[in-house]
Amino acid sequence: MLSTGALRAHLLAARLAGPVATSREDSLRSYRLFAARDPRVTLGLDPRWAWDEGDLLRLMADKCGVSDDPAYRSGPDVIDPERTLTALGAFAARLAAVARRRAPVLLGTGHPHRLLGFYAGIADALSAAGCLVLTPARGRCVDITTRFGVRTYSLDYVRGVALVREPGREGAGCETGAHTHSPLPVRAALEGLADAGGPLPELVVGDHGWVCGAGQLGIEAVGLADTDDPALFVGEAEGRVSVAVPLDDAVRSDYYRPLTRYVLNRACLSR
């Protein structure tokens, strides 16, 4: 068992919370772009409410613990570890609820280099609890707009977790895919399920477009988000994302292992 105090200490030591590597400049830029409804940061969410930069800064201060001072323009951003712990508890509660129902789930990440292990541990535990871990539309092509133009990726799964790969990198034991914020992969996965007549997920677990894209379509979604990802917290505030956990989403992959243990313990899914 990993105690709350031990996890709090780990969050700070690994810079998952406290002063994080995400800069204030990056966060403020994301808030400006979100206020302008830029699809690069709305991540598939179509906000119901009007959000200006000030609204977003106040929301992120409430949800993450960043400074609400608009005069603070540069330097590291800060995440309150207590808010992270509270959100992880709520995240675990949603996993426990879906496990009790043995309901179908879909897991996906736009951060496979960092977060694949975190989600794979959850996928293993939910499968062991009797949940159907869905892996639809494997190999389907997804055209995603990047800073280099439109590129075609393929949808794949590693240990029950969806990700997208660049052309030519499929299979061959390759465990990591491409970094993406796009909601198109989750839409492709859900379309594949609909085409096959299979069950839709009762819960989507992930980050970036996986969470916002699912939430926008009315599917319960929970996930992780950094201070420069306001879309997940807006989705939570508007009732379309069940839980958004504030933390740095780009530290070393092994630093997320204690979070997996903590969440599974809290959800009574440890083996």
Side-chain angles (χ1 to χ4, degrees), residues 50-249:
W51 293 87
D52 63 24
E53 293 177 50
D55 296 328
L56 291 164
L57 183 58
R58 287 186 288 274
L59 174 74
M60 298 301 282
D62 178 58
K63 296 290 188 179
C64 303
V66 305
S67 171
D68 63 359
D69 181 1
Y72 177 50
R73 310 293 300 178
S74 64
D77 235 331
V78 174
I79 295 174
D80 177 7
E82 296 303 323
R83 286 172 170 82
T84 304
L85 290 166
T86 298
L88 285 171
F91 183 100
R94 301 319 305 149
L95 297 182
V98 78
R100 284 195 295 272
R101 299 193 305 273
R102 297 185 176 181
V105 295
L106 176 66
L107 298 95
T109 181
H111 264 299
H113 297 80
R114 308 295 185 183
L115 294 171
L116 178 61
F118 174 79
Y119 298 120
I122 292 171
D124 288 344
L126 290 174
S127 177
C131 294
L132 174 62
V133 177
L134 301 167
T135 57
R138 185 189 298 268
R140 179 169 295 196
C141 291
V142 183
D143 293 330
I144 298 175
T145 300
T146 74
R147 58 181 175 169
F148 306 108
V150 176
R151 290 195 168 180
T152 300
Y153 296 84
S154 62
L155 186 62
D156 201 1
Y157 294 84
V158 175
R159 296 176 58 197
V161 182
L163 46 79
V164 294
R165 298 193 191 280
E166 296 176 6
R169 294 182 178 268
E170 297 87 352
C174 181
E175 287 213 349
T176 55
H179 175 235
T180 181
H181 288 205
S182 175
L184 297 180
V186 73
R187 292 176 189 168
L190 295 172
E191 183 180 317
L193 287 168
D195 290 346
L200 291 175
E202 292 192 18
L203 181 69
V204 171
V205 181
D207 47 59
H208 292 167
W210 285 94
V211 173
C212 291
Q216 179 66 31
L217 294 174
I219 297 173
E220 184 177 10
V222 298
L224 312 180
D226 210 329
T227 60
D228 60 352
D229 290 328
L232 280 83
F233 299 101
V234 169
E236 187 178 40
E238 293 189 347
R240 280 177 288 175
V241 172
S242 288
V243 182
V245 180
L247 50 72
D248 190 318
D249 60 8

